[in-house]
Each structure stands twice: as C-alpha cells, then as structure tokens.
Amino acid sequence: MNRWKRVMAILLAASAALSGCGSGAGQESGRTGAKDTQMGRYMEQEIMLPEEIARQSYPALTLQTMEDGSLKLAEEQAGIFLSKDQGETWERQDEAWLSDLAETAYISTLALAPDGGAALAYTPYEEDGQDADAESVETQKTGPEEAAGADEGSAESAADPDGAFYSEASFQPQYLYRSPDGTTIPITYENGETYFYQLWFGQDNRLYGCSIGGGVFYIDPQTDTVKQLFEIGGLVDCMVFTEKRMIAFSTQETAVYDLENGMLAEPDTALEQFMGSTLEEAAGLSDGHAVVAAAGEGGDVFYFVTEKGLYRHAVGGQTVEQIIDGSINSMGDPMTSFGGMAVLPDGQFAVLYEGGRLCRYIYDETVSSVPGEQITVYSLEDSYTIRQAVSLYQKSHPDVYVKYETGMSGTDGQTAEDAVKNLNVRLAAGEGPDILVLDGLPMESYIGKGILADVSGIVRQMDGEDALLENIVGGSGEEDGTIRYLPVCFRIVMTAGDRQTAEQTRSLSDLADAVERLRQEQPEGSILGLRSADEVIRMLGDVCRNAWTAQDGQIDQEALAEFLRLAARVWQAEREGYTQEELEQYEGNQEAWTTDLAGEGDYYKNLSSGAVNMAMGLQKLGVGLVKGMDFDFNILATLSEKEDDFAYGPFEGQAGSVYLPKTMAGLAAASADNKTAADFYRFLYSREFQSAGLAEGFPVNEAAFGELENNPRGEDSSGTIAMAAEGSEDLFLMDVKWAPGEDFQRLAEIVREAATPSLADTNVEEAVYEIGPAALEGTVSAEEAAEQIAKKASLPLAE
C-alpha cells in the first residue's frame, strides 16, 4: 500500500520579553530594540528523532510525558519510542500491534496515556485491497463544522484505478483502548451523525473524546461507557489537563472544566481575550494544531504554544506571560503547525512540529534577550510569505531580529489610505522600514521620489543556484537597467476545458465567444463557476488591468469600456444558467469562498477548483489562477492525462502574456548600505528560501522553480481529492498525480512566455471593482461606467 498519500477533502457549497518577563493578557511581548542590554533568551535546538521515522513522508506524531518524566513518541507506521534522557536517545518499544493495525486500517487519531496506555480511532480499509489510505486531510471549507464533516474519512472509499469516480461513503470510525499491560479493549460509540475526531488522556490517565458535533465526552474503556460532559462551540483543537481542570481550546472559544466537581468552571477571561482569533484557523489543519499545551509546575498552571510563542498561565489568573517569542524561532513559521509539547526539567521545553521535527528550547543567560541586529520589514497587509521568510531567516541568524510590521491589522478599523499616510510620514522623517512589501502601496510614487534603492547589483550577484528567472527579472527592470522591486513569487492565469475551447481561448474576446457558445449548448447550469458580477470582474481584472492605463499613466477609457463590454457578455451568458433563487442562495453563502491555504481569500479564482468541478460535471470551462504544484497545477496535469478531451493553456485577457507578481519587495534607499537589510533582501530570493515551499505562488528562483518537477515526497502521487456537493451523499474521489515531465515542461514554457507583470494601479482597480459590476448587470453602459471610473480614480489614494 502507498501509506503516505496526502488527501485533500473539500466540501463544496455549490460544487513579555524573552528573558521570561511577562506581558499582560492579550499583549505582545515588549521589546526595547537593538540597544537592549538585557541578557538571557531561550535558544532553539533540534532533537534528533529515531531513524525509523521517515520525515519526508510527513509523519503524524504523538508526544506524551510519562509518569516517570520520560518522553514517549508514537507514529503509526514507525511504532512507539521511549526516551529516558529528554530526547538524547530513543528506544523502540515492543508495540507491534500499532504498526500491524496501520497496515489494515486508517488511524485517524492516536493518544498516549501517562501510564503507558493508548487509545485510537481507526477505519478498516476496503477488503478488495485497493489503496484507500490517507496520511492527512487538508480542508478548504465552508466553515468549521462543515470542514469537520469533510474530515479524513471522506476518502475511505477505494479509489478507481483511473483516478476518479463517484461513490457513496460515510465515515464512522472504530475505537480501541490499549492498556499498559497490553490488553486491547474495544470502545463502543455509534452515532450516525457524529464521531470522535480527537482523543485525549488526562494526568490521571482518564480518557476523553471530542466529537465533530462539539461534544466533549468521558470514556471508560473498562465498562465500555461514554458520557458527555459538556458542549463547546466549534471544534476542539487542543486540550490540556492540570491537577483539577481540563482546558479545551476550540475554534470558537476556550472552556474550563472542573474535574473535581464535574461541571464547567467560570470562564477564564484573560485566556479567552488573549487567544482572540488564534484558533479560528484550526479547523483547516489536519494532523497539526494551532495551539498545543502541557501541564506546568503543579496547581492549575499550564504552558501553551501558538505561532506567537510559548506562554505560561494559571487558570483564572489575570495575566498570560510570554516565555519565548515565537517570531525568532520555528514557532512563528506559518508553514507548520504543532504536534505537541512537553515541559522538561530545568526550565526547558520541547515542541513537536507537524511533519516530524522536535525542538528543545534551552535558556541561555549569555546571549542578549533581544538580538543585537535589527531590521524592519513592512507590508500593508499581513503576508504569509513574509512571515515564513522572517521565521526561517531568524532561525539561521539568531543574532538578528527581523521586526515585521503591518499597516492594517484587520481589527483596528484603519483603512488602506490611513495606513499609507502614516507610512509616508515615517518615510519623510527618515524613520521608515528597511524592506517594503509594495503590494497595495503607491509603488510608482515611491520609485519617482527615490524611496526605493536600486537592487540590480544584488540581482547581478545572484548566480548559480541563486539565479532568478530572466523574464521575472526583466519584467521588474526599468529601461536603464535599474531594478527597484522584485516579486518574491508569482502566479499565472490559465484556461482549462475541452481541448478545442481551451486551446482557442486566449483573449478576453475569445472567452466571451466561448462562454456564449457553451451557453447555447447547455441552457442550464454553470459554465465558468462564477456566480456574481463581482466575481467575474475581479477574476478577469487580474489579467486585464495592464490595459486600463496607457503608457503616460492616464486611464485608457476605451480599453476599460471594452473590458466592461466583454466581461458583461461573459456574466450575462453565465447567469442565464442559474435561477434567481440559486444566485441569492450563493450570495448568502459567499463568505464560504474567502478562505485558502494562505488565508488570502478569493478561493473561487483558483483554476484547480474549477477543473475539479469540470471533472464532476458541475461546470464546462475554467479560467483562473495557478499558484503552485500541490493540488493546483497537478490537478490540471492529472485531468489532462486522464481525459482525452481535457486541456489547459495560457490566458492573456486584454494585456497579452502576463504574470501576476506577488509579495513585491523593495529595499529602502535609506537602508541601501545596511548589510543586514541587504542580506535579508537577498535571502528572500535565495534557493534556500524559495525551495522551502511557497504557499502564495511559484518561486522566482530558477533552481527552486526547476525543483517543482520532482515530488518532494519521492512518489508519483500528489494525493487524493475527496469532494461532495451540497445535498448529495455521493463522494467524488480523484487520485492526483504529480505532473509528469512533459506537463511540467509545458508549464515552464507558459511561465517563460509571461514577460510582463500584471500590476495594479490601486486607484483604478478599486474604482473598477466598485463601479464596474453595474455595467455587467446592464444598469449603466460600459462607456458611462468607464467615464465614472476615470473620474473616481483621478483622486490619489495617498501622496
């Protein structure tokens, strides 16, 4: 069996300081900057795991501190290991029952007890021997509850050798308890509407289960009884047990349960306020957690870890104390989630990361509490890619603190205009950041005012494995050879559908013709999978916006009117296939499409989702973004190989062959001589970082881009998609293959043909998105809308 198949389950609706000083609840740890002379900081040290654990296979690990203080680590295939020296050495335990079970069943959750017991949930494989196993499930979801409904078991039906079919499937796992003496005891819990997706042991070795319905249960294996203790909103992501309390962190709230009195305790206000929205993203995690926790030094004290760091809290206390700042170690890496943690002797901690990394955190009083070197990176909105770069850079440069600032927090009510004005004041005063992420900022104004340094010298020094794609560098350069910015990654826009249509649909005019023709052939249902004028205009605008502004910087009203006319043809033909009730129902659930891996939103723009809809017969043609390989381009390549009449190709819209730059970074002219700032800027484009797995686009590093041809897991399979349409019990399964060489070469050709960046003039773009839908709906003419857009966009965002 291929035991390391990654599965993506998608439920569609229409298809304190570092020295140990504490900070107040809900507050960030204080920093005194690069001149801070305080000493002492926790340093990260990786613990070597047993050789039997294959890291490249993304193992799902479980960590537990035993009653004698030793550490136990379990992985379903590799087995169970014990360390009596805090991870220095590991001894494999005679627990063949676990690996034996893993050969015949999918183990969806595993818990270890402090006394040596274990409990798990599992689903036997199909008896026909076909490969239905899953390493993990990733969810693009319509909400926490719906995501749970599309959990691991969605893929438990055997897959067709051809890779895709419909079948009826339900997920009802079985449960067992393994006592310390080796006795296996089945646990009975049968509920057609819910199941246990997590199991946890308390300090007293009692077993608890969390259901997808929000119930938290006590499970007694000896008497085979299950008793519900309380309900919690959302899905429980993590539980921790002190001597007297159970603390449950869910995607919606934090609950404290009094174990002695058998009732919910008073809310822990400080903890709830601190957590805020941290756990809202947990519903999209698979084997990992957004927070992990462990009991502290007695009483009701516990420690927990989030992406912001490691904290200490006493239940009911008024403060949440930061012990370790996550921004300068692996905790802050947005590409990983947590598997568990342990409190070690001598004030040390161990944190287990999803994918097979275990790190020890040791307090070193000889290093400064804040790294001596400091640089600042700024972006208007939070950037997943920048957070990843900051985390990885600081791990390898512990003497550097990279301060990351965002102009808009999303919670303070500050607008983009406010943020840009504030930034401009700082820049004018010479107090601006060292690195500027220019997405959403007035880039041309900054270039004209000399705010951005010429980085062409840095680019010229990047050769060999650090060389960049020539077309991306060329697209960012000016006529005199200067380069003021470079995208860290990029996307492309493509079409997919039946071979004739996909190959002949390159321009916006071609698309309008194709959608109208397909509508004549199919009077009902979806053609493009877009259900509002706003979606149509935003999707097409990504690839057409260069045409809206002439070379002299003036708005080209004629080109803008043409865009609106053609987009209106697309929308009118698309909407004819829907009833008004269907459109209204979709509008009410539109928020369901605002989540993707990087938290960016606009999931409807992804061509991969449209391609799967085509395979399911839910739409006829797709136009959209292609950002990477896993569950993106690989889907197109798989369908192209599987279906004779399926093809993909580039889409040029109105502006020719373009690419969409993402995370455009510039080095501030005032920081051009700052060696640390220049080094971080270079790191952004190095093979080291670009090969780390960028979630927001293709790498601009040539070697890193070439590496995409090879599956990092060393297999031909990328994973399996399991999808269900609303109101249907049928489950669509598709085995996604890693794009073969010929498909990857075709992708490389399309990428290298894209020589021009599609850049947004923020004023124009926002005006188009505000006024343009009226032209698509026919309430104003395209010419009238273009004129209104030109007038509105003439007002500058900020100078």
Side-chain angles (χ1 to χ4, degrees):
M1 288 188 182
N2 171 17
R3 283 296 304 131
W4 301 113
K5 181 177 293 182
R6 180 169 289 271
V7 175
M8 180 170 71
I10 308 173
L11 185 65
L12 293 178
S15 55
L18 297 178
S19 60
C21 298
S23 63
Q27 298 177 341
E28 296 287 349
S29 63
R31 286 192 178 273
T32 58
K35 297 181 180 181
D36 191 347
T37 58
Q38 225 178 348
M39 303 299 289
R41 178 174 15 133
Y42 275 91
M43 306 299 289
E44 181 177 285
Q45 178 187 93
E46 188 160 353
I47 298 174
M48 296 301 296
L49 295 178
E51 294 182 359
E52 293 87 340
I53 294 177
R55 299 187 185 195
Q56 66 177 5
S57 300
Y58 298 96
L61 299 168
T62 302
L63 179 69
Q64 178 63 270
T65 302
M66 309 306 289
E67 291 177 337
D68 62 359
S70 59
L71 297 179
K72 183 171 281 190
L73 186 69
E75 200 280 323
E76 61 185 60
Q77 286 292 306
I80 299 178
F81 299 82
L82 185 69
S83 176
K84 297 180 180 179
D85 51 13
Q86 310 305 317
E88 293 295 332
T89 60
W90 296 92
E91 178 184 350
R92 186 167 186 167
Q93 304 296 284
D94 184 14
E95 301 283 3
W97 66 273
L98 178 60
S99 53
D100 289 346
L101 179 62
E103 290 297 322
T104 60
Y106 168 56
I107 299 174
S108 56
T109 187
L110 171 66
L112 299 175
D115 66 355
L120 52 81
Y122 68 97
T123 302
Y125 296 134
E126 298 290 329
E127 294 183 359
D128 60 10
Q130 293 184 5
D131 186 9
D133 53 326
E135 183 271 328
S136 68
V137 176
E138 293 181 354
T139 57
Q140 292 286 357
K141 66 253 181 230
T142 57
E145 291 76 12
E146 289 85 349
D151 210 326
E152 290 95 276
S154 298
E156 295 312 313
S157 293
D160 186 310
D162 291 333
F165 74 107
Y166 286 98
S167 70
E168 291 188 4
S170 61
F171 183 52
Q172 282 296 322
Q174 300 176 38
Y175 313 93
L176 65 80
Y177 168 74
R178 181 85 172 183
S179 69
D181 63 6
T183 303
T184 299
I185 304 174
I187 299 171
T188 303
Y189 180 68
E190 296 180 356
N191 188 319
E193 297 181 355
T194 188
Y195 56 87
F196 293 141
Y197 70 96
Q198 284 191 9
L199 298 170
W200 299 86
F201 282 99
Q203 289 192 36
D204 56 3
N205 301 298
R206 291 192 176 191
L207 177 61
Y208 302 88
C210 303
S211 77
I212 63 168
V216 176
F217 297 77
Y218 164 61
I219 303 170
D220 186 348
Q222 303 297 333
T223 61
D224 197 20
T225 57
V226 176
K227 176 185 177 182
Q228 182 166 334
L229 302 180
F230 62 93
E231 287 189 357
I232 191 170
L235 297 171
V236 173
D237 179 60
C238 174
M239 298 182 77
V240 61
F241 299 82
T242 65
E243 293 179 355
K244 300 178 181 179
R245 303 284 192 270
M246 169 204 296
I247 301 91
F249 299 90
S250 89
T251 55
Q252 294 182 9
E253 59 182 302
T254 301
V256 179
Y257 186 80
D258 188 327
L259 295 170
E260 288 186 332
N261 298 312
M263 60 186 294
L264 282 170
E266 291 294 322
D268 191 321
T269 304
L271 183 62
E272 289 186 350
Q273 291 178 347
F274 177 85
M275 293 306 297
S277 61
T278 297
L279 289 169
E280 291 179 359
E281 301 175 358
L285 302 177
S286 51
D287 296 318
H289 305 270
V291 59
V292 288
E297 55 273 18
D300 281 333
V301 173
F302 67 94
Y303 295 85
F304 66 93
V305 176
T306 74
E307 64 177 4
K308 294 181 180 180
L310 187 149
Y311 297 85
R312 179 186 184 275
H313 180 63
V315 177
Q318 300 301 306
T319 62
V320 176
E321 178 186 11
Q322 185 178 56
I323 307 299
I324 303 175
D325 187 342
S327 69
I328 55 177
N329 51 56
S330 296
M331 298 174 191
D333 186 351
M335 284 294 287
T336 190
S337 55
F338 306 106
M341 72 167 293
V343 177
L344 307 179
D346 301 322
Q348 299 180 17
F349 303 91
V351 177
L352 178 65
Y353 295 90
E354 181 189 17
R357 290 181 65 242
L358 182 61
C359 294
R360 180 189 289 111
Y361 294 87
I362 305 173
Y363 189 77
D364 187 342
E365 62 185 10
T366 67
V367 299
S368 62
S369 61
V370 177
E373 294 286 336
Q374 177 173 313
I375 60 172
T376 303
V377 182
Y378 177 98
S379 65
L380 185 61
E381 297 183 278
D382 189 81
S383 168
Y384 191 93
T385 298
I386 293 299
R387 288 202 177 278
Q388 184 184 3
V390 169
S391 177
L392 294 178
Y393 186 82
Q394 292 193 149
K395 281 170 58 179
S396 58
H397 297 78
D399 57 334
V400 177
Y401 170 50
V402 183
K403 182 180 181 180
Y404 178 39
E405 301 177 344
T406 57
M408 297 189 298
S409 67
T411 60
D412 57 8
Q414 184 164 242
T415 67
E417 183 175 1
D418 295 332
V420 173
K421 287 180 177 179
N422 292 336
L423 175 62
N424 289 346
V425 170
R426 292 174 57 191
L427 291 169
E431 299 175 352
D434 300 286
I435 308 293
L436 284 161
V437 177
L438 300 164
D439 302 42
L441 296 179
M443 181 173 67
E444 292 297 328
S445 174
Y446 288 175
I447 292 175
K449 293 179 178 181
I451 291 174
L452 301 176
D454 177 13
V455 295
S456 59
I458 294 177
V459 174
R460 285 194 297 269
Q461 294 171 5
M462 299 188 73
D463 52 13
E465 67 175 15
D466 287 334
L468 308 182
L469 292 170
E470 292 184 1
N471 60 310
I472 305 299
V473 173
S476 301
E478 301 175 29
E479 292 183 1
D480 62 358
T482 60
I483 300 175
R484 305 292 176 175
Y485 77 93
L486 277 172
V488 179
C489 53
F490 66 95
R491 295 96 175 269
I492 53 177
V493 179
M494 298 173 65
T495 58
D498 68 84
R499 188 167 300 277
Q500 179 179 358
T501 303
E503 291 177 350
Q504 296 180 358
T505 304
R506 298 191 66 149
S507 70
L508 183 56
S509 179
D510 293 338
L511 179 64
D513 291 341
V515 175
E516 289 175 340
R517 174 178 57 81
L518 292 170
R519 175 55 71 210
Q520 290 178 351
E521 297 173 2
Q522 178 181 296
E524 298 180 354
S526 174
I527 302 298
L528 284 173
L530 302 174
R531 295 200 181 188
S532 72
D534 182 70
E535 287 186 355
V536 171
I537 207 167
R538 288 178 181 271
M539 177 66 258
L540 300 178
D542 282 345
V543 74
C544 295
R545 57 195 177 199
N546 280 8
W548 305 341
T549 307
Q551 290 185 350
D552 60 2
Q554 299 298 310
I555 296 174
D556 189 333
Q557 291 191 43
E558 184 177 342
L560 186 52
E562 181 188 28
F563 168 77
L564 296 172
R565 282 194 297 269
L566 293 172
R569 287 174 55 192
V570 171
W571 171 234
Q572 292 302 322
E574 177 77 358
R575 69 176 298 173
E576 288 177 4
Y578 299 114
T579 66
Q580 188 62 33
E581 182 181 358
E582 288 174 325
L583 293 174
E584 291 175 355
Q585 183 181 15
Y586 180 76
E587 183 177 358
N589 292 321
Q590 197 166 2
E591 188 176 346
W593 295 93
T594 60
T595 300
D596 63 11
L597 178 61
E600 181 182 346
D602 295 345
Y603 179 69
Y604 65 87
K605 290 184 178 181
N606 295 341
L607 182 57
S608 56
S609 63
V612 174
N613 279 347
M614 284 181 266
M616 295 175 68
L618 298 176
Q619 72 183 69
K620 300 291 290 184
L621 181 65
V623 177
L625 301 177
V626 180
K627 307 177 183 178
M629 300 298 290
D630 248 352
F631 295 104
D632 203 339
F633 181 72
N634 286 337
I635 291 177
L636 304 182
T638 296
L639 291 173
S640 179
E641 180 181 13
K642 173 182 169 56
E643 304 288 346
D644 292 336
D645 195 28
F646 180 91
Y648 57 84
F651 181 66
E652 298 180 352
Q654 278 183 298
S657 186
V658 301
Y659 62 87
L660 277 62
K662 181 66 178 174
T663 315
M664 296 178 291
L667 176 64
S671 303
D673 295 329
N674 185 323
K675 293 183 179 180
T676 303
D679 188 64
F680 179 80
Y681 190 84
R682 186 181 295 106
F683 175 77
L684 288 173
Y685 306 97
S686 66
R687 184 176 184 175
E688 177 186 356
F689 174 61
Q690 295 263 315
S691 297
L694 303 180
E696 296 187 297
F698 290 107
V700 302
N701 179 281
E702 189 169 16
F705 182 82
E707 290 173 5
L708 298 179
E709 183 175 0
N710 304 312
N711 189 337
R713 294 181 285 282
E715 308 165 355
D716 63 349
S717 176
S718 174
T720 298
I721 292 175
M723 305 178 72
E726 184 183 25
S728 173
E729 293 183 358
D730 290 339
L731 187 68
F732 173 84
L733 298 177
M734 186 174 77
D735 188 27
V736 181
K737 301 295 184 180
W738 200 268
E742 56 269 28
D743 281 284
F744 180 77
Q745 293 307 315
R746 175 60 177 143
L747 171 66
E749 290 175 5
I750 295 173
V751 165
R752 289 187 168 91
E753 289 174 0
T756 306
S758 178
L759 297 173
D761 182 310
T762 306
N763 297 335
V764 177
E765 193 170 41
E766 289 304 317
V768 169
Y769 295 157
E770 179 182 340
I771 299 169
L776 271 63
E777 297 286 2
T779 58
V780 298
S781 70
E783 291 74 17
E784 290 171 332
E787 183 177 357
Q788 293 176 27
I789 290 168
K791 290 180 179 179
K792 183 175 181 61
S794 65
L795 299 175
L797 172 66
E799 289 293 342

